[in-house]
Amino acid sequence: MVSSSHEALHQICQKDTEGMIRSFRRLLHVPFPEPRAIAVVNTDLTEIEPVERRVDSLVRMDTDEGDFLLVLESQGKKDERKRGSWPYYLSYLYEKYRCEPVLIVMTQSRSTARWAAQPIRFGLPGWSSLVVRPLVLGPDNVPVIADETEAARDVTLAVFSAITHGKGADAAAILGPLATVLETVDPDSAVVLAELVESGLVDAQAKKIWKELMMPVNYFFKNPVAQKLREETRVEDWSEVILNILKWRDIEVPDSVRLRVRACSDLDQLKAWSERAIHVTEATELFDDDGA
């Protein structure tokens, strides 16, 4: 059964294909040519016979150095059947489109990444008739983007980072800066990207934190009436975000902390505290860097 995290890992490529290809060229350290044209291709590889085969996402990339099909596979765990299906996909796509297929596997698991990166070889010992060498993106080569400036520089990569690290302890560190940056992008895109992150997060606590961080963002982006009141009410919303994050992390909140958070009217300060709330071990640590 296909999971939401499985879908999120490759659907980000469909949401912002150009951004993901830019990320592939940056992260994979292989000579990706500069794209001349990019198009999302039908993922259905079904043959005339009743055997249904589908890749997760398929993108055509036309360049001055040739045309390529990026075969994007989201892989949750080791699956030895892929030793047959992945070479089949590449051969079939080459035969159908007559351009070079490139297999890119994306995973949230380090062990799955190591498994997927192993070449698939068919043929005699010492003489391979067919070799498939997947390119792999996983926790070891996708950076943890926990800095707001860096996240703003490439929002698509920041979302992909949050999804890729959705199983580990790094997930929470990414969420605060990413939530802040999503407030600055196109509202329709922000809602879609926020939902992809929520689908991709595997850790239950990280998912709760993300929902709370995105509560004011989702409300104001989706409710046209509320947009008129945005600047007046968002301070109160962010105050509650901070307190709820601490509550969900089972951190006791003294009345003095609660009063100080609710009394604050500085939106930037509240956002800074919301990011700290993800990491602190005591509520009073929220204010450690404020000179008080």
Side-chain angles (χ1 to χ4, degrees), residues 51-87:
V51 178
E52 185 173 310
R53 304 178 191 270
R54 293 180 185 271
V55 298
D56 288 332
S57 287
L58 188 62
V59 175
R60 180 171 179 137
M61 183 177 72
D62 298 342
T63 78
D64 291 333
E65 298 177 36
D67 301 337
F68 301 89
L69 283 172
L70 304 186
V71 184
L72 309 175
E73 286 282 282
S74 175
Q75 194 66 27
K77 60 183 179 181
K78 299 177 185 178
D79 183 354
E80 290 302 322
R81 292 175 299 176
K82 296 296 184 179
R83 289 180 55 81
S85 59
W86 283 342

Short mmCIF file of all heavy atoms in Angstrom, two decimals, residues 51-87:
data_model
loop_
_atom_site.label_atom_id
_atom_site.label_comp_id
_atom_site.label_asym_id
_atom_site.label_seq_id
_atom_site.Cartn_x
_atom_site.Cartn_y
_atom_site.Cartn_z
N VAL A 51 -0.84 -6.30 -17.73
CA VAL A 51 0.17 -6.19 -16.68
C VAL A 51 0.42 -4.71 -16.46
O VAL A 51 0.97 -4.03 -17.33
CB VAL A 51 1.48 -6.91 -17.06
CG1 VAL A 51 2.52 -6.73 -15.97
CG2 VAL A 51 1.22 -8.38 -17.34
N GLU A 52 0.01 -4.20 -15.32
CA GLU A 52 0.13 -2.77 -15.07
C GLU A 52 1.44 -2.46 -14.38
O GLU A 52 1.80 -3.06 -13.38
CB GLU A 52 -1.04 -2.29 -14.19
CG GLU A 52 -1.05 -0.79 -13.99
CD GLU A 52 -2.29 -0.32 -13.25
OE1 GLU A 52 -3.41 -0.69 -13.66
OE2 GLU A 52 -2.12 0.41 -12.26
N ARG A 53 2.16 -1.50 -14.96
CA ARG A 53 3.43 -1.07 -14.38
C ARG A 53 3.45 0.45 -14.37
O ARG A 53 3.18 1.08 -15.39
CB ARG A 53 4.62 -1.59 -15.21
CG ARG A 53 4.65 -3.10 -15.39
CD ARG A 53 5.85 -3.49 -16.25
NE ARG A 53 5.78 -4.88 -16.67
CZ ARG A 53 6.29 -5.90 -15.98
NH1 ARG A 53 6.90 -5.65 -14.84
NH2 ARG A 53 6.21 -7.13 -16.43
N ARG A 54 3.79 1.04 -13.24
CA ARG A 54 3.84 2.49 -13.12
C ARG A 54 5.10 2.91 -12.36
O ARG A 54 5.42 2.32 -11.34
CB ARG A 54 2.61 3.04 -12.37
CG ARG A 54 1.31 2.88 -13.12
CD ARG A 54 0.14 3.44 -12.30
NE ARG A 54 -1.11 3.18 -12.94
CZ ARG A 54 -1.69 4.00 -13.82
NH1 ARG A 54 -1.09 5.13 -14.14
NH2 ARG A 54 -2.85 3.70 -14.37
N VAL A 55 5.75 3.93 -12.88
CA VAL A 55 6.80 4.58 -12.10
C VAL A 55 6.13 5.61 -11.20
O VAL A 55 4.97 5.96 -11.39
CB VAL A 55 7.85 5.25 -13.02
CG1 VAL A 55 8.54 4.21 -13.89
CG2 VAL A 55 7.22 6.32 -13.89
N ASP A 56 6.86 6.10 -10.20
CA ASP A 56 6.26 7.06 -9.29
C ASP A 56 6.07 8.43 -9.95
O ASP A 56 5.00 9.03 -9.88
CB ASP A 56 7.11 7.19 -8.02
CG ASP A 56 7.00 5.96 -7.14
OD1 ASP A 56 5.96 5.30 -7.19
OD2 ASP A 56 7.96 5.66 -6.41
N SER A 57 7.13 8.96 -10.55
CA SER A 57 7.03 10.20 -11.32
C SER A 57 7.97 10.09 -12.52
O SER A 57 9.00 9.41 -12.45
CB SER A 57 7.41 11.42 -10.48
OG SER A 57 6.42 11.74 -9.55
N LEU A 58 7.59 10.76 -13.60
CA LEU A 58 8.37 10.69 -14.83
C LEU A 58 8.45 12.10 -15.42
O LEU A 58 7.42 12.73 -15.64
CB LEU A 58 7.72 9.73 -15.82
CG LEU A 58 8.48 9.38 -17.09
CD1 LEU A 58 9.80 8.69 -16.76
CD2 LEU A 58 7.63 8.49 -17.99
N VAL A 59 9.67 12.58 -15.64
CA VAL A 59 9.87 13.94 -16.13
C VAL A 59 10.79 13.90 -17.36
O VAL A 59 11.84 13.26 -17.33
CB VAL A 59 10.52 14.83 -15.05
CG1 VAL A 59 10.85 16.20 -15.61
CG2 VAL A 59 9.60 14.95 -13.84
N ARG A 60 10.37 14.57 -18.42
CA ARG A 60 11.21 14.67 -19.61
C ARG A 60 12.01 15.96 -19.53
O ARG A 60 11.46 17.03 -19.23
CB ARG A 60 10.37 14.66 -20.88
CG ARG A 60 11.24 14.77 -22.14
CD ARG A 60 10.44 14.55 -23.40
NE ARG A 60 11.32 14.70 -24.57
CZ ARG A 60 11.30 13.89 -25.62
NH1 ARG A 60 10.47 12.87 -25.65
NH2 ARG A 60 12.11 14.10 -26.64
N MET A 61 13.31 15.89 -19.79
CA MET A 61 14.20 17.04 -19.73
C MET A 61 14.96 17.12 -21.05
O MET A 61 15.78 16.26 -21.37
CB MET A 61 15.17 16.89 -18.56
CG MET A 61 16.09 18.08 -18.36
SD MET A 61 17.16 17.89 -16.90
CE MET A 61 18.31 16.63 -17.48
N ASP A 62 14.66 18.15 -21.85
CA ASP A 62 15.33 18.35 -23.14
C ASP A 62 16.48 19.34 -22.94
O ASP A 62 16.30 20.42 -22.37
CB ASP A 62 14.36 18.90 -24.18
CG ASP A 62 13.21 17.93 -24.47
OD1 ASP A 62 13.36 16.74 -24.14
OD2 ASP A 62 12.18 18.36 -25.01
N THR A 63 17.65 18.96 -23.41
CA THR A 63 18.84 19.81 -23.25
C THR A 63 19.59 19.87 -24.58
O THR A 63 19.31 19.11 -25.52
CB THR A 63 19.79 19.26 -22.17
OG1 THR A 63 20.54 18.15 -22.70
CG2 THR A 63 19.01 18.78 -20.95
N ASP A 64 20.54 20.79 -24.66
CA ASP A 64 21.37 20.89 -25.86
C ASP A 64 22.27 19.68 -26.04
O ASP A 64 22.80 19.45 -27.12
CB ASP A 64 22.22 22.17 -25.81
CG ASP A 64 21.37 23.43 -25.94
OD1 ASP A 64 20.28 23.34 -26.56
OD2 ASP A 64 21.77 24.48 -25.42
N GLU A 65 22.45 18.91 -24.96
CA GLU A 65 23.31 17.73 -25.02
C GLU A 65 22.51 16.44 -25.18
O GLU A 65 23.06 15.35 -25.10
CB GLU A 65 24.17 17.65 -23.75
CG GLU A 65 25.09 18.84 -23.59
CD GLU A 65 25.87 18.79 -22.29
OE1 GLU A 65 26.25 17.67 -21.87
OE2 GLU A 65 26.09 19.85 -21.69
N GLY A 66 21.21 16.57 -25.40
CA GLY A 66 20.37 15.38 -25.56
C GLY A 66 19.12 15.48 -24.72
O GLY A 66 18.98 16.39 -23.89
N ASP A 67 18.21 14.56 -24.94
CA ASP A 67 16.94 14.52 -24.20
C ASP A 67 16.97 13.36 -23.21
O ASP A 67 17.45 12.27 -23.52
CB ASP A 67 15.76 14.36 -25.17
CG ASP A 67 15.70 15.49 -26.20
OD1 ASP A 67 16.26 16.56 -25.90
OD2 ASP A 67 15.12 15.29 -27.28
N PHE A 68 16.42 13.61 -22.03
CA PHE A 68 16.49 12.63 -20.95
C PHE A 68 15.12 12.46 -20.30
O PHE A 68 14.31 13.39 -20.25
CB PHE A 68 17.50 13.08 -19.88
CG PHE A 68 18.89 13.26 -20.41
CD1 PHE A 68 19.30 14.49 -20.92
CD2 PHE A 68 19.80 12.21 -20.40
CE1 PHE A 68 20.58 14.66 -21.42
CE2 PHE A 68 21.09 12.39 -20.89
CZ PHE A 68 21.48 13.61 -21.40
N LEU A 69 14.87 11.26 -19.80
CA LEU A 69 13.69 10.96 -18.99
C LEU A 69 14.17 10.69 -17.57
O LEU A 69 14.95 9.77 -17.34
CB LEU A 69 12.93 9.74 -19.52
CG LEU A 69 12.07 9.95 -20.75
CD1 LEU A 69 11.54 8.60 -21.24
CD2 LEU A 69 10.90 10.88 -20.46
N LEU A 70 13.73 11.51 -16.61
CA LEU A 70 14.07 11.28 -15.21
C LEU A 70 13.00 10.37 -14.60
O LEU A 70 11.83 10.75 -14.49
CB LEU A 70 14.14 12.61 -14.47
CG LEU A 70 15.09 13.66 -15.04
CD1 LEU A 70 15.17 14.86 -14.11
CD2 LEU A 70 16.48 13.07 -15.28
N VAL A 71 13.41 9.16 -14.25
CA VAL A 71 12.52 8.17 -13.65
C VAL A 71 12.66 8.31 -12.14
O VAL A 71 13.69 7.92 -11.56
CB VAL A 71 12.88 6.75 -14.12
CG1 VAL A 71 11.88 5.74 -13.56
CG2 VAL A 71 12.93 6.68 -15.64
N LEU A 72 11.66 8.86 -11.47
CA LEU A 72 11.75 9.20 -10.06
C LEU A 72 11.00 8.16 -9.24
O LEU A 72 9.79 8.01 -9.36
CB LEU A 72 11.18 10.59 -9.81
CG LEU A 72 11.74 11.69 -10.73
CD1 LEU A 72 11.03 13.01 -10.48
CD2 LEU A 72 13.24 11.84 -10.55
N GLU A 73 11.73 7.45 -8.39
CA GLU A 73 11.16 6.39 -7.58
C GLU A 73 11.32 6.71 -6.09
O GLU A 73 12.43 6.98 -5.62
CB GLU A 73 11.84 5.05 -7.88
CG GLU A 73 11.44 4.43 -9.20
CD GLU A 73 10.08 3.76 -9.11
OE1 GLU A 73 9.98 2.65 -8.56
OE2 GLU A 73 9.09 4.36 -9.58
N SER A 74 10.22 6.70 -5.36
CA SER A 74 10.24 6.88 -3.90
C SER A 74 10.26 5.51 -3.25
O SER A 74 9.36 4.70 -3.47
CB SER A 74 9.00 7.67 -3.48
OG SER A 74 8.92 7.78 -2.09
N GLN A 75 11.30 5.25 -2.45
CA GLN A 75 11.50 3.90 -1.91
C GLN A 75 11.53 3.93 -0.39
O GLN A 75 12.43 4.53 0.20
CB GLN A 75 12.81 3.32 -2.46
CG GLN A 75 12.97 1.83 -2.26
CD GLN A 75 11.96 1.02 -3.07
OE1 GLN A 75 11.49 1.45 -4.11
NE2 GLN A 75 11.62 -0.16 -2.58
N GLY A 76 10.55 3.27 0.23
CA GLY A 76 10.48 3.26 1.69
C GLY A 76 11.39 2.24 2.33
O GLY A 76 11.94 2.46 3.41
N LYS A 77 11.55 1.08 1.69
CA LYS A 77 12.37 0.01 2.26
C LYS A 77 12.96 -0.84 1.14
O LYS A 77 12.60 -0.68 -0.04
CB LYS A 77 11.54 -0.86 3.20
CG LYS A 77 10.35 -1.53 2.53
CD LYS A 77 9.51 -2.32 3.52
CE LYS A 77 8.31 -2.97 2.85
NZ LYS A 77 7.48 -3.72 3.81
N LYS A 78 13.84 -1.75 1.50
CA LYS A 78 14.44 -2.64 0.52
C LYS A 78 13.36 -3.52 -0.13
O LYS A 78 12.46 -4.01 0.55
CB LYS A 78 15.48 -3.54 1.19
CG LYS A 78 16.64 -2.78 1.83
CD LYS A 78 17.59 -3.74 2.53
CE LYS A 78 18.69 -2.99 3.27
NZ LYS A 78 19.59 -3.91 3.99
N ASP A 79 13.46 -3.69 -1.42
CA ASP A 79 12.51 -4.51 -2.16
C ASP A 79 13.25 -5.15 -3.33
O ASP A 79 13.51 -4.50 -4.34
CB ASP A 79 11.33 -3.66 -2.65
CG ASP A 79 10.26 -4.49 -3.36
OD1 ASP A 79 10.49 -5.70 -3.56
OD2 ASP A 79 9.22 -3.91 -3.72
N GLU A 80 13.60 -6.41 -3.20
CA GLU A 80 14.42 -7.06 -4.21
C GLU A 80 13.71 -7.19 -5.55
O GLU A 80 14.35 -7.42 -6.58
CB GLU A 80 14.85 -8.45 -3.71
CG GLU A 80 15.85 -8.42 -2.57
CD GLU A 80 17.13 -7.67 -2.94
OE1 GLU A 80 17.59 -7.80 -4.10
OE2 GLU A 80 17.66 -6.94 -2.09
N ARG A 81 12.38 -7.02 -5.57
CA ARG A 81 11.67 -7.05 -6.86
C ARG A 81 12.10 -5.89 -7.75
O ARG A 81 11.95 -5.95 -8.98
CB ARG A 81 10.17 -6.99 -6.62
CG ARG A 81 9.59 -8.25 -5.96
CD ARG A 81 8.12 -8.08 -5.66
NE ARG A 81 7.91 -6.95 -4.74
CZ ARG A 81 6.71 -6.53 -4.35
NH1 ARG A 81 5.62 -7.11 -4.83
NH2 ARG A 81 6.60 -5.51 -3.51
N LYS A 82 12.62 -4.82 -7.14
CA LYS A 82 13.06 -3.69 -7.93
C LYS A 82 14.25 -4.03 -8.82
O LYS A 82 14.51 -3.33 -9.80
CB LYS A 82 13.45 -2.52 -7.01
CG LYS A 82 12.29 -1.96 -6.19
CD LYS A 82 11.22 -1.35 -7.09
CE LYS A 82 10.13 -0.71 -6.25
NZ LYS A 82 9.07 -0.08 -7.11
N ARG A 83 14.96 -5.11 -8.49
CA ARG A 83 16.07 -5.53 -9.34
C ARG A 83 15.57 -5.92 -10.73
O ARG A 83 16.33 -5.90 -11.70
CB ARG A 83 16.82 -6.71 -8.71
CG ARG A 83 17.63 -6.35 -7.49
CD ARG A 83 18.35 -7.57 -6.93
NE ARG A 83 19.17 -8.23 -7.95
CZ ARG A 83 20.38 -7.82 -8.30
NH1 ARG A 83 20.92 -6.75 -7.74
NH2 ARG A 83 21.06 -8.47 -9.23
N GLY A 84 14.29 -6.29 -10.81
CA GLY A 84 13.70 -6.60 -12.11
C GLY A 84 12.92 -5.43 -12.68
O GLY A 84 13.00 -5.14 -13.88
N SER A 85 12.16 -4.74 -11.82
CA SER A 85 11.27 -3.69 -12.34
C SER A 85 12.04 -2.45 -12.77
O SER A 85 11.69 -1.83 -13.80
CB SER A 85 10.21 -3.34 -11.30
OG SER A 85 10.78 -2.89 -10.09
N TRP A 86 13.07 -2.05 -12.04
CA TRP A 86 13.80 -0.84 -12.42
C TRP A 86 14.47 -0.99 -13.79
O TRP A 86 14.32 -0.10 -14.65
CB TRP A 86 14.81 -0.45 -11.35
CG TRP A 86 14.18 0.20 -10.15
CD1 TRP A 86 12.94 0.76 -10.09
CD2 TRP A 86 14.77 0.37 -8.86
NE1 TRP A 86 12.70 1.26 -8.83
CE2 TRP A 86 13.81 1.05 -8.05
CE3 TRP A 86 15.99 0.03 -8.29
CZ2 TRP A 86 14.04 1.38 -6.72
CZ3 TRP A 86 16.23 0.36 -6.97
CH2 TRP A 86 15.27 1.03 -6.19
N PRO A 87 15.21 -2.08 -14.06
CA PRO A 87 15.76 -2.23 -15.41
C PRO A 87 14.67 -2.28 -16.48
O PRO A 87 14.84 -1.75 -17.58
CB PRO A 87 16.52 -3.56 -15.33
CG PRO A 87 16.88 -3.70 -13.89
CD PRO A 87 15.72 -3.13 -13.15
#
